[in-house]
């Protein structure tokens, strides 16, 4: 009887030991599996915006921040991963995005030439573009060339030339003595575009409640210091306009009749007489 009891107790002890061993093995395997799964979680660096930005804006280094986050295939499969901020700096944004938005490759447009790629001795100088000019030049790319014209007015000579302009819509034409001639003169030829930047705000309300029209964007072109001095000398007297360069090739120059336009040249004397009912 005693032997049977001892055998039974031994058998029970053996079963308990085996059960404990199995539980321990399963627990260890589960822990190893979880550790292995944790090791497989991929952490990546992404580029995110530091502010709300609009379509067409130039992304500068200050607009970018690097974040380390857990990789998720559904949201980050096309994101810009493990790249420095310099990769997206000086690129153009293709859409409207909020602060902290993670940039994807399809969200940016890389110009052909970076805005910092200036020729020796040149500076990047910005000119404002209003709605019509911005739309006309929006197809230009960094590295393209433009001709820069300056529009200004001169007092019309007292003779039968030049069209007499209106003071405002719905009014009669001014007298010949009061009329000004408008002139469009070539100032700089074949200048390199650095970038065209969109400005998100196009109107501003003044203190008197009247709207102020702000630039739609800006064009930055490469000028040398002397050319910039010339701009400062005349900018208060008129406006600058930009056209795709006529002298894109080194051996080609702009002809004399392309360098200057005026009211008198565009509208002939006979046309002006007819227009005035003479």
């Amino acid at each position: 009887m005693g032997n049977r009891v001892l055998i039974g107790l031994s058998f029970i002890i053996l079963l308990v030991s085996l059960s404990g061993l199995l539980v321990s093995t399963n627990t260890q395997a589960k822990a190893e599996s979880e550790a292995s799964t944790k090791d497989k979680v991929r952490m990546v660096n992404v580029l995110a915006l530091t502010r709300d930005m609009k379509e067409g804006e130039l992304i500068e280094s200050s607009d970018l921040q690097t974040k380390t986050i857990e990789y998720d295939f559904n949201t980050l499969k096309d994101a810009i991963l493990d790249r420095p901020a310099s990769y997206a700096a000086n690129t153009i944004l293709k859409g409207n995005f909020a602060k902290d938005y993670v940039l994807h490759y399809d969200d940016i447009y890389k110009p052909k030439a970076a805005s910092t790629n200036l020729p020796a001795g040149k500076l990047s100088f910005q000119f404002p573009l209003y709605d019509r000019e911005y739309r006309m030049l929006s197809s230009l790319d960094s590295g393209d060339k433009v001709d820069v014209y300056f529009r200004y007015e001169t007092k019309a000579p007292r003779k039968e030339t030049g069209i007499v302009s209106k003071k405002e819509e719905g009014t009669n034409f001014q007298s010949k003595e009061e009329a000004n001639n408008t002139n469009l003169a070539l100032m700089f030829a074949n200048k390199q575009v650095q970038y065209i930047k969109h400005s998100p705000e196009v109107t501003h309300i003044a203190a008197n409640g009247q709207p102020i029209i702000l630039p739609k964007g800006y064009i930055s072109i490469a000028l040398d210091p002397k050319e910039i001095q010339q701009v400062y000398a005349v900018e208060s007297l008129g406006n600058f306009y930009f056209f795709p360069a006529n002298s894109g090739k080194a051996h080609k120059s702009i002809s004399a009749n392309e360098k200057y336009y005026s009211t008198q040249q565009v509208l002939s004397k006979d046309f002006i007489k007819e227009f005035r009912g003479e």
Side-chain angles (χ1 to χ4, degrees):
M1 180 69 180
N3 291 334
R4 291 182 179 180
V5 172
L6 290 174
I7 293 173
L9 289 173
S10 299
F11 183 72
I12 292 172
I13 291 171
L14 180 61
L15 289 176
V16 171
S17 299
L18 290 173
S19 298
L21 180 62
L22 289 174
V23 171
S24 176
T25 302
N26 290 337
T27 302
Q28 183 178 358
K30 183 177 180 181
E32 291 176 353
S33 177
E34 290 177 351
S36 177
T37 302
K38 186 176 181 180
D39 291 340
K40 289 181 180 179
V41 173
R42 181 183 174 190
M43 304 301 291
V44 293
N45 293 324
V46 297
L47 296 177
L49 298 178
T50 60
R51 64 182 179 90
D52 295 348
M53 296 190 70
K54 301 289 186 180
E55 180 179 0
E57 283 195 78
L58 179 77
I59 304 174
E60 300 177 352
S61 296
S62 59
D63 299 323
L64 298 167
Q65 57 182 320
T66 302
K67 291 184 174 183
T68 302
I69 62 175
E70 182 178 327
Y71 179 75
D72 177 78
F73 177 80
N74 293 326
T75 59
L76 299 177
K77 63 178 181 178
D78 296 320
I80 302 173
L81 304 179
D82 299 320
R83 295 271 195 172
S86 58
Y87 177 82
N90 298 314
T91 62
I92 306 298
L93 203 59
K94 289 185 179 180
N96 302 324
F97 301 110
K99 178 182 177 181
D100 294 322
Y101 173 79
V102 175
L103 286 175
H104 292 62
Y105 285 100
D106 289 341
D107 295 332
I108 62 172
Y109 166 65
K110 274 184 170 291
K112 289 186 295 187
S115 63
T116 54
N117 185 22
L118 284 165
K122 301 290 186 179
L123 300 173
S124 185
F125 192 83
Q126 278 192 353
F127 293 88
L129 296 175
Y130 291 88
D131 187 68
R132 181 173 62 180
E133 289 71 37
Y134 179 82
R135 293 179 184 276
M136 182 179 71
L137 298 174
S138 60
S139 62
L140 290 179
D141 199 355
S142 294
D144 288 344
K145 301 295 182 67
V146 292
D147 297 327
V148 183
Y149 284 80
F150 184 66
R151 189 180 73 175
Y152 62 98
E153 290 188 355
T154 55
K155 186 175 181 180
R158 297 186 179 184
K159 56 183 181 180
E160 296 296 323
T161 58
I163 191 169
V164 186
S165 59
K166 289 183 178 182
K167 292 182 179 180
E168 59 185 45
E169 292 297 326
T171 64
N172 294 326
F173 290 99
Q174 297 179 21
S175 67
K176 189 177 296 297
E177 289 73 18
E178 295 176 342
N180 288 337
N181 285 333
T182 299
N183 309 284
L184 188 66
L186 177 67
M187 194 155 188
F188 308 120
N190 207 35
K191 293 300 177 181
Q192 179 177 306
V193 176
Q194 298 305 111
Y195 60 84
I196 295 179
K197 180 178 180 179
H198 173 73
S199 180
E201 185 180 24
V202 294
T203 58
H204 179 73
I205 304 300
N208 60 4
Q210 296 298 315
I212 298 174
I213 304 300
L214 299 176
K216 179 79 172 181
Y218 296 88
I219 182 172
S220 179
I221 64 175
L223 297 177
D224 62 41
K226 184 177 180 180
E227 291 168 335
I228 293 174
Q229 290 171 356
Q230 293 173 356
V231 170
Y232 283 139
V234 301
E235 64 179 351
S236 63
L237 303 178
N239 303 96
F240 291 94
Y241 293 91
F242 308 86
F243 303 90
N246 285 333
S247 54
K249 297 182 179 180
H251 66 274
K252 182 182 177 182
S253 61
I254 297 179
S255 62
N257 61 357
E258 292 177 308
K259 292 182 179 180
Y260 182 79
Y261 299 88
S262 71
T263 302
Q264 293 175 326
Q265 291 173 325
V266 175
L267 297 178
S268 67
K269 180 178 177 180
D270 291 338
F271 175 84
I272 294 163
K273 283 186 174 182
E274 181 180 350
F275 195 73
R276 287 172 50 84
E278 296 177 356

